[in-house]
Amino acid sequence: MPNLIGADRAVQLIIENPLNQNRMLSGAQAYELGLADAMFDGADFLARSLDWAGHIVAGSQTVSRPDIDRGTAWDAALAAARSFVDSKVSGASPGPYRALELMAAAKTADRAAAYAAEDQALADLIMSPELRASLYAFDLVQKRARKPAGAPDATLARPVTKIGIVGAGLMASQLAVLFLRRLQVPVVITDLDQERVDKGLGYVTAEIDKLRAKRRISSDAANRLQALISGTTELIDFADCDFVIEAVFEEMSIKKQVLADLEKHVSNNCVLATNTSSLSVAEMAADLDHRERVVGFHFFNPVAVMPLVEIVRGPATEEDTLATALDVAKALKKTAVVVKDAAGFVVNRILLRLMAEIFATVDEGTPVEVADVALRPLGLPMPPYVLLQLVGPAVALHVVENLQALVASGRPGIYDWTADGQPYVSKETAELFVVGDRPSTAGQVRERALHAVASEIGLMLNEDVVAAPMDIDLCLILGAGWPFHLGGITPYLDREGISERILGRRFLPLGVASVPIGS
């Protein structure tokens, strides 16, 4: 490939695309990269293709291909690619590194030697635990994701012809755009005052205009979608909604009041969904006359990108409510996992347990820089303190008492950044932390954190939060960006022997997604 289209384009095709979004190339994209010598469109494309090929065979037509720079440009492309791979998988997945080795060798190797090296690389990687975990992850997102465990009979789902959204902030506005695009039914949003409503409507119409400008939808489609969105400050306008979701501040008293007010205006068959990330659905619905139609519908941010929806079944949630929620999630082209009404549900519960354990080691005296790189060998999307900086320390304030000082200081997170983009902990930030004198090594932090996660997953399975370990893995892959080469989390814990050390058993049967230690 680098000898055909150049090392820089080959890096894009072989390394960057798979690690960024893993989408197949279209014909036009392949042609633009130089993978094809000609491209034909229209109803007669086949006849034109055969005619073109005939001229090539006959020698009456030739193709011109670019000269490939096999000097410093080749080396620079691979050096940049290695930095990119390090940033994505931190050495945890062998596949991209082996690909880089093959591309480096292709600079001087003859065809036979290069093909032999590729064959050997495939033979080695096919036997790796990372490939087995990747195949397991692929099976989860392709098969298990289509038939959620614990789903009721799909025929129980009721038609949804109008959507209501309580809230007009960023999350609610993102939801409005998603519902409009996928369901193409009327959507009404509400908030405390007209100013907030107008701001939400402005966001929605602007996002639709962006889609039109990028030619992802036609002008006619954009006009139709914008005609379907409306705003109000009166809940009476939700009376004919079939599905209403609240996306207000994550405070139990506020959410309970919202649901109580909604119940006065919507029909008895209207599904009331909450986008809570961790609060009890049962408590939220406790004072309602019709608790059976309340369901958790937890999206992940950004709404348009993240494919997971945790659908939370409360103790009173009826089958038709759950079936309708699942049907809506399918129409939104989201992957739904049915979870029990338990604190944190799946993704947030595991992430908080993981982060709490790492934060605790910092409390004990482990330098932040050491604790934050402890999980690097797993190849996770981002280190814990970078994740904290992304969501904001106030969100995780209850995890570690020391974060109070960070929040009070007004700082956005632990790190400052050098001019060349490298993170560091400033002296001022370090002084905010009151720590002990029992520092841990990165290896000790990693072991402690993974032991805690294994214990938490064991508790979750005992509590029937999900139907099986596979659902936990599916949630982490689609809701937290957990890498395919880990297969989620349970195959990794099994492969490293952590499950058996902590719980006395494996999460998955031997041979599923992993190989036994020492094999």
Side-chain angles (χ1 to χ4, degrees), residues 157-182:
R158 296 190 294 269
V160 173
T161 60
K162 184 178 179 180
I163 299 288
I165 301 175
V166 181
L170 180 59
M171 174 61 78
S173 299
Q174 290 183 68
L175 292 179
V177 175
L178 179 66
F179 279 109
L180 284 169
R181 287 197 69 195
R182 300 304 186 200

Side-chain angles (χ1 to χ4, degrees), residues 33-45:
L33 279 174
L35 295 179
D37 292 314
M39 182 172 67
F40 303 99
D41 199 1
D44 61 343
F45 80 93

Side-chain angles (χ1 to χ4, degrees), residues 368-377 383-384 415 442 446:
V368 169
E369 299 91 336
V370 173
D372 210 28
V373 301
L375 298 181
R376 182 173 291 172
Y415 289 121
R446 180 170 58 255

Side-chain angles (χ1 to χ4, degrees), residues 378-401:
L378 277 70
L380 299 182
M382 62 183 69
Y385 277 97
V386 176
L387 176 62
L388 175 68
Q389 196 143 345
L390 180 66
V391 302
V395 174
L397 177 59
H398 63 282
V399 177
V400 179
E401 214 42 46

Side-chain angles (χ1 to χ4, degrees), residues 258-436:
V258 165
L259 294 182
D261 291 341
L262 279 170
E263 192 173 48
K264 300 173 184 176
H265 300 285
V266 299
S267 70
N268 292 341
N269 290 327
C270 177
V271 172
L272 296 181
T274 170
N275 187 42
T276 180
S277 59
S278 62
L279 298 178
S280 168
V281 174
E283 183 178 350
M284 210 176 294
D287 300 329
L288 300 181
D289 294 330
H290 295 281
R291 291 172 289 175
E292 70 280 357
R293 43 90 170 272
V294 179
V295 65
F297 211 77
H298 179 214
F299 287 92
F300 291 81
N301 203 16
V303 169
V305 176
M306 300 302 288
L308 180 69
V309 175
E310 290 178 332
I311 295 190
V312 187
R313 181 173 194 166
T317 305
E318 288 191 342
E319 296 282 277
D320 54 351
T321 298
L322 188 61
T324 303
L326 285 165
D327 194 53
V328 169
K330 183 178 180 180
L332 294 174
K333 297 186 179 181
K334 298 293 184 182
T335 295
V337 175
V338 178
V339 304
K340 185 179 179 181
D341 185 19
F345 314 132
V346 175
V347 174
N348 285 343
R349 179 167 174 175
I350 291 176
L351 291 183
L352 282 175
R353 181 68 191 273
L354 181 74
M355 294 172 70
E357 206 64 36
I358 292 173
F359 295 167
T361 67
V362 174
D363 286 346
E364 295 164 3
T366 304
V368 169
E369 299 91 336
V370 173
D372 210 28
V373 301
L375 298 181
R376 182 173 291 172
L378 277 70
L380 299 182
M382 62 183 69
Y385 277 97
V386 176
L387 176 62
L388 175 68
Q389 196 143 345
L390 180 66
V391 302
V395 174
L397 177 59
H398 63 282
V399 177
V400 179
E401 214 42 46
N402 265 325
L403 287 179
Q404 286 183 343
L406 189 64
V407 174
S409 73
R411 295 186 56 79
I414 295 295
Y415 289 121
D416 285 283
W417 307 88
T418 64
D420 59 352
Q422 298 301 311
Y424 71 96
V425 179
S426 70
K427 179 182 178 182
E428 292 77 13
T429 299
E431 289 175 349
L432 294 174
F433 284 76
V434 179
V435 300

